[in-house]
Amino acid sequence: MDAHPRPSDLDREVLVRCINECIECAAECTSCADADLAEPDVQDMVRCIRLCDDCSDICSTTARVLIRQTAGDLAVLRAATEACATACRVCGDECERHAHHHEHCRLCQESCRRCADACEALLAVIG
Amino acid sequence: MDAHPRPSDLDREVLVRCINECIECAAECTSCADADLAEPDVQDMVRCIRLCDDCSDICSTTARVLIRQTAGDLAVLRAATEACATACRVCGDECERHAHHHEHCRLCQESCRRCADACEALLAVIG
Amino acid sequence: MDAHPRPSDLDREVLVRCINECIECAAECTSCADADLAEPDVQDMVRCIRLCDDCSDICSTTARVLIRQTAGDLAVLRAATEACATACRVCGDECERHAHHHEHCRLCQESCRRCADACEALLAVIG
Amino acid sequence: MDAHPRPSDLDREVLVRCINECIECAAECTSCADADLAEPDVQDMVRCIRLCDDCSDICSTTARVLIRQTAGDLAVLRAATEACATACRVCGDECERHAHHHEHCRLCQESCRRCADACEALLAVIG
């Protein structure tokens, strides 16, 4: 981003943290949904899979929207970041329910929490 | 969706319309951003490209979230659909500025308007 | 695509058919993976879910690559289309195994077959 | 991935390296395409934007396919990884042409090279 000819005015540190968390959370959710499929109690993990799938898609898209610095629109950035914060909160809550018996859910929950926090911090900056 | 064992309770017609508009708008925005790149006045189309890229990503993700019927969360559906409505409105406004001299912008604007309307109709159903 | 200032030289009809099949197959695979999650025999549908997830991602990306007409590279188009044909064949084979008892698998299998055929037809044109 | 109940048999180190490079290259290509749009010579960067867009989409999808460990198909993994290697090579070549005057192209070229190498190493393991 330091190499961008005209970066956005948003606080760089807050923005980069949010991008990194979105990228990591997208990967973590794809991985958790996949690990759920291999669990003997897959039947009980259906809601976790569904919410991880949604969260992965939303985090991936939000990362792309936030990476772009050129000619962006604050209303679009805000809406994408809000959707991401919501998806991460809901998915984190579901993963928390399974965190004590599935290590991948514990890791995914932590990633969802960090990403939701980073989204909230960015929303405070966007205003 | 008729083949789904346990579809969601959302009004089927409103939901399917929104999914179809999201899918079409994602393709239209990818196409418009690409056509912009081939225009002699690409310099003036930078904001259109940026907003079409964002809108395409957000519409694609929203389509996926809405297609899924199993164990979903209304807060996530609402947040994704709101982000999509916003992206479509902002992108539609930008495309409208170029609609008189670029046919692909006129088509993309129309698709963005239809998708924003379909998102609003779905949001009214979600409540 | 008729509105594009400088479309590619590829046969329009073959290209548009492949784009449309990729878009439809991506949606069908997302829907089938989700319907699998709601089936009482979800345990037996794990491989179907996995392959539908892969196929949906690959079809979506291939659709985007093929929609773009400006300054493309034939090696990239060929590689993406080959990956798509492979994903559709493998996913179609798995869905076929469940087609007699899950209607969504029958529909998904048909969509995968049509998409694989459309990819092969495009590969013949790309050379 | 250490938390997965039944990970695939592929060499862990080679696989994780490839996933990480795909994720990083996807972000780098999205960023480079966006930075190109802000350059005064955007007219000359059209092919770079196009190839970065394709490469970002293909790297993102390949990362997802490789992250999944459950019930995968080697032919699909191979095809996705081959498409990714091709996209990275072609995009890296284009970015190299601009590396001396655009720092973001130099960074993107390096990321594309590393990702292509990681894909080749994985393809050697897949066989």
Side-chain angles (χ1 to χ4, degrees), chain A residues 3-6 23 27 30-31 34-35 38-39 56-57 60 64 67-70 103-104, chain D residues 3-6 23 27 30-31 34-35 38-39 56-57 60 64 67-70 103-104:
Chain A
H4 195 285
R6 283 183 289 160
I23 290 171
T30 296
S31 185
D34 171 72
E39 295 291 356
S56 175
D57 286 340
S60 295
R64 285 179 163 225
I67 284 172
R68 296 182 186 119
Q69 299 294 296
T70 305
E103 172 70 2
H104 52 83
Chain D
H4 196 286
R6 284 183 288 158
I23 289 171
T30 296
S31 186
D34 171 72
E39 295 290 356
S56 175
D57 287 338
S60 296
R64 285 177 162 226
I67 284 171
R68 296 183 186 119
Q69 299 293 297
T70 305
E103 174 69 0
H104 52 83

Side-chain angles (χ1 to χ4, degrees), chain B residues 85-100:
Chain B
T86 299
C88 288
R89 267 194 306 268
V90 172
C91 187
D93 287 348
E94 177 65 22
C95 280
E96 190 176 16
R97 297 183 49 231
H98 311 284
H100 62 289

Side-chain angles (χ1 to χ4, degrees), chain A residues 43, chain B residues 5-6, chain C residues 36-43 102:
Chain A
Q43 204 86 244
Chain B
R6 284 183 288 158
Chain C
D36 286 337
L37 285 178
E39 294 290 355
D41 64 341
V42 57
Q43 205 84 244
H102 291 320

Side-chain angles (χ1 to χ4, degrees), chain A residues 40-61:
Chain A
D41 65 341
V42 58
Q43 204 86 244
D44 300 328
M45 304 308 293
V46 164
R47 188 168 143 83
C48 186
I49 295 170
R50 161 61 196 267
L51 293 174
C52 278
D53 284 344
D54 284 357
C55 195
S56 175
D57 286 340
I58 292 172
C59 285
S60 295
T61 280

Side-chain angles (χ1 to χ4, degrees), chain C residues 79-92:
Chain C
T81 309
E82 281 172 350
C84 195
T86 298
C88 288
R89 266 194 306 268
V90 172
C91 188

Side-chain angles (χ1 to χ4, degrees), chain C residues 59-117:
Chain C
C59 285
S60 295
T61 281
T62 305
R64 284 177 164 227
V65 170
L66 296 179
I67 284 171
R68 296 181 186 120
Q69 299 294 296
T70 306
D73 182 280
L74 281 185
V76 176
L77 264 64
R78 191 185 298 114
T81 309
E82 281 172 350
C84 195
T86 298
C88 288
R89 266 194 306 268
V90 172
C91 188
D93 286 350
E94 178 64 21
C95 280
E96 190 176 16
R97 296 184 50 231
H98 311 284
H100 63 289
H101 61 121
H102 291 320
E103 173 69 1
H104 51 83
C105 287
R106 196 185 62 74
L107 293 170
C108 191
Q109 175 209 346
E110 285 181 5
S111 189
C112 286
R113 299 302 185 208
R114 281 197 308 272
C115 192
D117 286 350

